[in-house]
């Protein structure tokens, strides 16, 4: 029997991350998640998962900080083994019009959503290449390709994600390692429920052809496929999962 593969999901306690983690565990992976060092509910989350039948390891990690990522991945490798699948999922929004955007909100979003790809992927890519197998999945956003009102910082970072994917995919293509971007549209997590209701109802929902928010399970299903053996020929892609918004 093949050894159980290890998946590391950054921001694995968040709205999308939690569902990706439980679905990956259901699919037979050994799952490790990261949480922000400031997250005071991490032990509660792990205990709650245990009650639901999931044995998920959790490590603190600020994905915006290179040294924190080095330390976190070293702990994962020591306790769970080499990382076979990395899901760069952690991300934040700091929405405000460009007129009001300050450097703090610009930097926070770029560091957390874009610098994090370097910080985390650097820890695992060489090992994947040496072992001849790996999957790197980078969570971008529909707003990385179409832009969004109030999101110059986020749209820039999320557009950068796919540039990173394409360049790295080329470098590791012959080594059994695939690198892909997933670009979700509006999914019903707290990132979206934080949008003012009036804006969501009048500006966003009417632009989604399917007529509703997406579900985390729908994104998790795509993650599972992209991590699978069957997806070995799929690399450097940016897969839109957005209820049809890409058609506009
Ligand atoms: N499209 C067009 N116009 C918009 C708009 C939008 N998406 N959002 C706001 N506006 C307009 C408002 O209607 C308003 O117009 P009027 O002055 O004519 O009334 C004007 O912009 C100012 O709006 P606010 O009163 O809300 O201004 P504010 O300064 O308090 O807030 C804002 C501005 C921070 C951008 C706020 O409107 C907001 O949070 N908008 C939502 C931003 C958004 O969509 N974020 C996505 C989060 S989810 C996510 O990012 C996940 C993902 O990847 C898909
Ligand atoms: P969420 O519920 O707010 O979760 C975000 C996660 O990121 C949290 O688990 C958080 O960890 C983690 N995180 C934030 N800053 C971090 C940092 N500096 N270091 C480590 N972890 C950090 O949001 P979500 O909807 O699940 O979003 C997940 C990803 O999908 C993000 O990249 C987001 O941009 C992207 N996305 C979301 C949507 C959507 O509609 N929801 C659409 C497109 C793309 P803690 O909880 O421990 O702080």
């Amino acid at each position: 029997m093949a050894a159980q593969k290890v998946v590391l999901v950054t921001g694995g306690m968040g709205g999308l991350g939690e569902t990706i983690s439980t679905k990956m565990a259901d699919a037979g992976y050994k799952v490790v998640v990261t949480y922000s060092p400031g997250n005071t509910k991490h032990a509660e989350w792990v205990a709650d998962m245990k009650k639901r039948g999931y044995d998920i390891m959790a490590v603190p990690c600020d994905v915006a900080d290179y040294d924190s990522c080095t330390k976190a991945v070293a702990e994962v490798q020591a306790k769970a083994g080499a990382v076979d699948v990395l899901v760069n999922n952690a991300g934040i929004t700091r929405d405000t019009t460009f007129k009001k955007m300050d450097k703090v909100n610009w930097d926070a979003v770029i560091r957390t959503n874009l610098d994090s790809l370097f910080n985390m992927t650097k820890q695992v890519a060489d090992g994947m290449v040496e072992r001849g197998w790996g999957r790197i999945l980078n969570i971008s956003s529909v707003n990385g390709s179409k832009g969004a009102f109030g999101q110059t910082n986020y749209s820039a970072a999320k557009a950068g994600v796919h540039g990173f994917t394409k360049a790295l995919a080329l470098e590791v293509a012959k080594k059994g390692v695939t690198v892909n971007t997933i670009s979700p549209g509006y999914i019903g997590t707290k990132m979206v429920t934080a949008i003012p209701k009036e804006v969501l109802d009048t500006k966003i929902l009417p632009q989604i052809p399917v007529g509703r928010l997406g579900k985390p399970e729908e994104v998790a299903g795509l993650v599972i496929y992209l991590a699978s053996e069957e997806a070995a020929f799929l690399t450097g892609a940016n897969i839109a999962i957005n209820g049809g918004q890409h058609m506009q």
Side-chain angles (χ1 to χ4, degrees), residues 16 27 34 74 91 104 109 118 129 143 146-147 151-153 165 190-192 207 211 216 218 225 236 242 245 247:
L16 263 184
T34 73
V104 172
V109 168
F118 176 81
V129 165
N143 292 343
K146 79 167 195 43
Q151 289 198 309
T152 48
N153 50 2
T165 290
K190 71 173 175 345
M191 192 175 270
V192 165
Q207 288 184 24
E218 291 167 330
Y225 173 66
N242 60 25
Q245 275 193 282
M247 292 184 287

Side-chain angles (χ1 to χ4, degrees), residues 10-17 34-39 61-65 88-93 112-113 139-142 154 158 182-192:
T10 67
M13 297 186 185
L16 263 184
T34 73
Y35 58 91
S36 313
N39 182 335
C61 177
D62 177 359
V63 295
D65 180 89
N88 282 312
N89 164 74
I92 56 168
T93 51
T112 308
N113 296 274
I139 308 291
S140 177
S141 163
V142 62
Y154 186 83
K158 292 300 193 184
I182 294 177
S183 288
Y186 289 78
I187 312 296
T189 70
K190 71 173 175 345
M191 192 175 270
V192 165

Side-chain angles (χ1 to χ4, degrees), residues 212-235:
R212 63 166 173 86
L213 298 178
K215 299 176 192 159
E217 291 76 11
E218 291 167 330
V219 178
L222 180 57
V223 169
I224 286 172
Y225 173 66
L226 289 172
S228 71
E229 292 297 342
E230 289 79 0
F233 201 53
L234 205 173
T235 195

Side-chain angles (χ1 to χ4, degrees), residues 93 95 100 141 143 149-151 154 186 195-196 199 203-204:
T93 51
D95 295 349
K100 293 186 202 159
S141 163
N143 292 343
F149 195 103
Q151 289 198 309
Y154 186 83
Y186 289 78
I195 299 172
V199 173
K203 306 274 196 261
I204 293 172

Side-chain angles (χ1 to χ4, degrees), residues 93-104:
T93 51
R94 293 286 182 272
D95 295 349
T96 182
T97 53
F98 186 66
K99 195 176 169 61
K100 293 186 202 159
M101 181 148 323
D102 59 20
K103 181 93 169 81
V104 172

Side-chain angles (χ1 to χ4, degrees), residues 192-206:
V192 165
T193 48
I195 299 172
K197 186 171 170 6
E198 213 261 327
V199 173
L200 188 62
D201 289 346
T202 63
K203 306 274 196 261
I204 293 172
L205 281 171

Side-chain angles (χ1 to χ4, degrees), residues 34-53:
T34 73
Y35 58 91
S36 313
N39 182 335
T40 53
K41 300 217 163 126
H42 62 92
E44 210 178 296
W45 185 90
V46 171
D48 190 47
M49 281 294 133
K50 252 201 183 101
K51 276 191 212 142
R52 290 173 53 188

Side-chain angles (χ1 to χ4, degrees), residues 21 47 52-53 77 82-84 96 100 109 132 138 141 181 236 238:
S21 299
R52 290 173 53 188
Q77 285 165 342
V83 175
D84 300 296
T96 182
K100 293 186 202 159
V109 168
N138 301 319
S141 163
T181 299
N238 183 0

